[in-house]
Amino acid sequence: VNDAIDAATTENDTVRLAPETYDDGQITVDKGVKIRGFGATIENQLRVTASNVVTLTGPEFRNVRTAVELTQGTGRAIISDTEYGPSVTYGINTSADNVIITQNDFIENKRAIDLKTSTGASITDNNLIGSETAINATGTNNVADPDPVVHTVFNNNIDPADVAIRATELEENGGEINAEFNYWGRESGPAPDEILSPVDFEPWNGSEFREPNYQIEDSNISGIGELVAGERVDVTATVNNTGGPAG
């Protein structure tokens, strides 16, 4: 995998992983590439240091302490359709800003998602089931003159073994987590001891969301820069129809 990343010659090159097991050492992503790995299993840490956009889609992580590490200074990262089972202690640790974590499965980890020195994380449409702590946020920021840290947690299935969201240090720094419209494992919402504030979790969903019948396997969205009002932008995507009961 490292050889394939080294061989990438332009930003947004795609590295495609074959459906096999990769256990030959830490994977370092030091340039803006797209890694696609549906059916692949990774048994080492994937560490992202690139200053440009990195997307990771598809692989399952097993038998590793920390599966994905996003270092401070990393550019925007988009992580989707990945899986972190019980043999993974820590799922995603991020010190990078504006990370998008969507449509992933975190099952019985010690800590599924750890938001360290970061702000602007978007955590949507994930399953976070049975982890000791589903989401932990420490409450500091990368930038020199930081505004209060704000993260968004939306439309996830969150049913922890202990803590759903721990964000007590955010309160000391004036930050917050918007965690509206999640399903907390029961129709009545989260138990009081599952949310360690400041977290806005009302209203909540009374039932689980269902995953869509498709997967977006490749698109040019990550390469689109800041938009100007009235500007036309063409978006292309490869969509895999997976079937299933949801729309």
Side-chain angles (χ1 to χ4, degrees):
V1 179
N2 284 318
D3 290 343
I5 294 170
D6 290 342
T9 58
T10 61
E11 298 299 329
N12 291 320
D13 271 3
T14 298
V15 176
R16 298 188 184 276
L17 306 182
E20 57 187 63
T21 298
Y22 298 86
D23 59 359
D24 52 352
Q26 177 178 283
I27 298 170
T28 300
V29 185
D30 57 2
K31 60 182 68 173
V33 296
K34 300 175 181 178
I35 299 176
R36 299 283 184 264
F38 288 100
T41 300
I42 299 176
E43 296 191 341
N44 297 103
Q45 183 185 90
L46 187 145
R47 189 170 190 265
V48 180
T49 63
S51 59
N52 297 313
V53 177
V54 171
T55 62
L56 172 66
T57 306
E60 176 185 357
F61 288 85
R62 295 180 187 170
N63 303 322
V64 60
R65 178 174 173 82
T66 301
V68 177
E69 182 81 30
L70 306 174
T71 63
Q72 187 169 328
T74 295
R76 188 183 189 191
I78 303 170
I79 303 174
S80 63
D81 294 294
T82 58
E83 183 176 336
Y84 311 83
S87 64
V88 174
T89 307
Y90 303 102
I92 298 174
N93 288 357
T94 178
S95 298
D97 292 340
N98 303 315
V99 173
I100 296 175
I101 301 172
T102 184
Q103 295 185 5
N104 305 281
D105 292 328
F106 301 86
I107 309 297
E108 297 180 7
N109 316 115
K110 183 177 180 65
R111 188 176 295 162
I113 299 173
D114 201 350
L115 305 172
K116 296 182 175 179
T117 53
S118 64
T119 189
S122 174
I123 302 172
T124 63
D125 302 320
N126 302 281
N127 291 308
L128 299 106
I129 309 298
S131 294
E132 291 184 25
T133 300
I135 300 171
N136 182 69
T138 58
T140 55
N141 200 325
N142 288 337
V143 295
D145 185 19
D147 293 326
V149 173
V150 179
H151 300 299
T152 300
V153 179
F154 177 81
N155 200 44
N156 302 278
N157 295 327
I158 306 176
D159 190 6
D162 188 7
V163 176
I165 302 178
R166 176 181 285 112
T168 50
E169 293 179 47
L170 280 182
E171 192 167 22
E172 300 172 8
N173 294 278
E176 64 178 329
I177 292 182
N178 179 355
E180 297 178 353
F181 297 103
N182 295 284
Y183 176 67
W184 303 95
R186 62 189 70 84
E187 186 176 348
S188 58
D193 58 354
E194 290 179 344
I195 302 289
L196 305 181
S197 61
V199 178
D200 177 12
F201 59 84
E202 296 185 65
W204 58 77
N205 293 337
S207 59
E208 294 182 81
F209 82 87
R210 293 182 294 177
E211 295 185 2
N213 292 346
Y214 60 88
Q215 294 171 332
I216 299 177
E217 296 188 353
D218 199 4
S219 78
N220 68 336
I221 293 175
S222 62
I224 297 174
E226 185 175 351
L227 300 180
V228 177
E231 178 185 6
R232 176 190 170 103
V233 175
D234 292 325
V235 177
T236 60
T238 300
V239 179
N240 177 27
N241 184 357
T242 60

